[in-house]
Amino acid sequence: MAGAALRRLLAEYKQLTLNPPEGILAGPVDEENFFEWEALITGPDETCFEGGVFPAKLMFPPDYPLSPPKMKFTCDLFHPNVYSDGRVCISILHAPGDDPTGYETRAERWSPVQSVEKILLSVVSLLAEPNDESPANVDAAKMWRDNREEFNAKTVRLLPARSH
């Protein structure tokens, strides 16, 4: 199975290098291991994340694309859908099939038709529009909902690679 996963990852990497989405760079940490990638995501314009560059890692399972990768920001990021250790909580990265909690539909969860590019674009969208109904960081979700000005100020203080 790992051979099929490697072929798929090679194809996705080629596609990302030939036609990179705006504000996103991604690829394997090194050519010897295509199952661990680094990504740089530029904060979306007209959001409190604008001007930030957010490094992340993607770890792919041997049965990719049948199972989703795991994604983790490697910088501090105060966001309703990012755990304190940097793990990203987004439907597209949840295992395929029915949601045991009944919150997500099958269509929102991982399926083999998804791709690294779709994941990264979904994360950019999540930065712009957090899902505060299903938070990984309850404090960030509450602040996002109740005091956007304070949320924005706290986020700006933590932005990596930003000239203040």
Side-chain angles (χ1 to χ4, degrees):
M1 191 70 201
L6 180 58
R7 282 191 299 280
R8 170 74 180 258
L9 288 167
L10 284 166
E12 290 195 44
Y13 178 55
K14 183 177 180 183
Q15 180 61 33
L16 278 170
T17 55
L18 292 175
N19 190 17
E22 188 176 332
I24 296 172
L25 291 173
V29 172
D30 68 59
E31 300 284 324
E32 298 299 313
N33 179 6
F34 262 76
F35 290 87
E36 185 177 335
W37 287 30
E38 293 175 315
L40 292 174
I41 299 171
T42 302
D45 291 344
E46 299 180 31
T47 72
C48 59
F49 299 101
E50 181 177 5
V53 177
F54 303 93
K57 286 207 182 293
L58 290 122
M59 286 73 63
F60 296 89
D63 66 343
Y64 180 81
L66 299 178
S67 296
K70 296 192 180 332
M71 183 174 176
K72 182 177 185 175
F73 282 102
T74 57
C75 63
D76 287 337
L77 184 59
F78 187 71
H79 188 281
N81 306 112
V82 177
Y83 290 99
S84 59
D85 67 359
R87 286 177 298 134
V88 177
C89 182
I90 188 171
S91 300
I92 194 174
L93 292 177
H94 294 162
D98 292 322
D99 178 6
T101 66
Y103 179 76
E104 300 165 335
T105 67
R106 281 176 164 260
E108 293 172 305
R109 296 169 70 85
W110 179 258
S111 86
V113 301
Q114 306 293 3
S115 65
V116 175
E117 180 178 0
K118 287 179 184 174
I119 292 166
L120 295 171
L121 290 171
S122 294
V123 170
V124 170
S125 293
L126 190 71
L127 287 175
E129 284 297 321
N131 177 359
D132 61 2
E133 293 178 17
S134 179
N137 181 329
V138 175
D139 293 336
K142 184 171 177 14
M143 194 180 293
W144 166 263
R145 209 175 17 244
D146 299 340
N147 191 341
R148 191 71 54 89
E149 193 172 296
E150 184 181 356
F151 177 88
N152 291 346
K154 181 169 185 148
T155 302
V156 167
R157 282 194 309 273
L158 293 174
L159 284 182
R162 182 180 179 130
S163 54
H164 294 280

